[in-house]
Amino acid sequence: MKKLCALAIGIISVNTFADSNLRIDTKQTPPPMQVTTQEQQYAVAQNEQAYQPQTYQQANQFSIAAGYSGSDLKDSEGYGEKGNGFFINGAYHFDDSVNVWLEFDKQKTSDINAEFSDSGVDVKAKASYDLTEIAMGVQYKWNSERLYAGIGTGLGFSRLKYNADANAVIDGVSYSESESETYDYYTWRVADLELGAKFNQNLSAFANVGYKLLLSLETDTECGYSYCVSGRAEDMDLDGVTYKAGLRYSF
């Protein structure tokens, strides 16, 4: 009887141990899925693209402008004339505030006519000048949504061509004479103030007023009793106000 009880206890113990191991095994989680090296690299690349900070840099822009150009230039003695013409300007914009520009400017005065009589001689005279300039410089702008203001300066080269025609009648006989001279100048645009309005991202209209110096490249020779001195013809320098109005297209 004792042996029978011991055998029964042993059988119960073995079954209990087996059941316990079986329950433990069924509760174990399956091993994680193995990811191949290619899949891992793709996942890392996707994550880097998703979290990579995005940077934006505005492309540099060019612009071209054209319109009316005028000036009121005088010499050292206060004599001068008003010129009228046109300009073409091209600019490279580093950003919305700073640009460098290159400009062609062509102006002409209205004809100056004079008529007078002296000692029975009737004289009619006409004079005018053409001023051609090529200049380059820099401009700084302050921008708002629809308006902007700017200030600029620049250096250039100008050529002034002076033309004069005269006709005199002496004792019923007509005499004519023409004269043409060319003078070269360095140009300094001391300051150009500009105010513009933006129609859209590409098109704007503007007005500009400035002050300009024209420094003569001609020379004068003055001779005294025993010597001669040559130097720049400062009395031919010009200075005065300039003004422009036009349209600008950016691309």
Side-chain angles (χ1 to χ4, degrees):
M1 186 69 179
K2 289 182 179 179
K3 289 183 179 180
L4 188 57
C5 290
L7 180 61
I9 292 171
I11 292 172
I12 292 171
S13 300
V14 170
N15 289 335
T16 302
F17 178 76
D19 290 341
S20 175
N21 285 342
L22 182 59
R23 284 194 298 271
I24 292 172
D25 290 342
T26 57
K27 289 183 179 180
Q28 287 180 354
T29 58
M33 295 179 62
Q34 299 296 323
V35 182
T36 64
T37 304
Q38 257 186 349
E39 291 172 337
Q40 289 175 342
Q41 291 176 350
Y42 178 76
V44 170
Q46 290 295 98
N47 290 335
E48 287 179 351
Q49 291 179 3
Y51 293 99
Q52 185 176 6
Q54 300 295 319
T55 59
Y56 175 77
Q57 183 177 3
Q58 184 178 1
N60 293 324
Q61 289 186 322
F62 293 90
S63 70
I64 186 168
Y68 166 79
S69 174
S71 63
D72 185 4
L73 303 176
K74 293 180 172 59
D75 61 19
S76 58
E77 297 181 355
Y79 295 104
E81 293 299 331
K82 295 182 178 181
N84 298 282
F86 69 94
F87 74 93
I88 300 173
N89 178 295
Y92 174 81
H93 299 255
F94 295 102
D95 53 35
D96 287 340
S97 299
V98 181
N99 67 79
V100 292
W101 50 265
L102 178 67
E103 185 172 292
F104 173 82
D105 195 313
K106 179 75 172 178
Q107 295 183 23
K108 181 179 180 179
T109 64
S110 56
D111 291 335
I112 306 166
N113 295 293
E115 295 185 24
F116 59 91
S117 297
D118 184 15
S119 301
V121 178
D122 296 326
V123 179
K124 293 183 179 180
K126 181 177 69 174
S128 65
Y129 72 78
D130 297 335
L131 182 64
T132 304
E133 178 186 14
I134 297 177
M136 63 183 302
V138 62
Q139 183 189 54
Y140 184 85
K141 294 195 298 185
W142 294 269
N143 293 277
S144 67
E145 184 177 356
R146 289 295 181 185
L147 299 175
Y148 75 87
I151 183 170
T153 186
L155 299 173
F157 173 82
S158 296
R159 174 159 288 177
L160 186 149
K161 187 175 182 181
Y162 173 80
N163 299 290
D165 296 303
N167 180 269
V169 178
I170 304 174
D171 296 331
V173 180
S174 178
Y175 299 88
S176 298
E177 186 175 349
S178 298
E179 181 182 2
S180 179
E181 296 286 347
T182 300
Y183 306 102
D184 293 332
Y185 292 86
Y186 284 133
T187 303
W188 178 23
R189 298 193 181 182
V190 180
D192 284 338
L193 304 178
E194 186 169 300
L195 182 64
K198 305 172 187 177
F199 298 119
N200 53 46
Q201 185 179 2
N202 301 106
L203 185 63
S204 60
F206 64 93
N208 183 308
V209 61
Y211 177 74
K212 179 164 65 176
L213 292 176
L214 278 72
L215 306 176
S216 175
L217 296 178
E218 306 301 320
T219 57
D220 275 342
T221 301
E222 295 184 4
C223 296
Y225 178 72
S226 59
Y227 62 89
C228 291
V229 176
S230 295
R232 193 175 68 83
E234 297 182 5
D235 59 330
M236 295 181 62
D237 291 350
L238 300 172
D239 69 285
V241 178
T242 63
Y243 32 88
K244 290 183 292 197
L247 295 175
R248 177 176 286 108
Y249 183 82
S250 301
F251 54 94

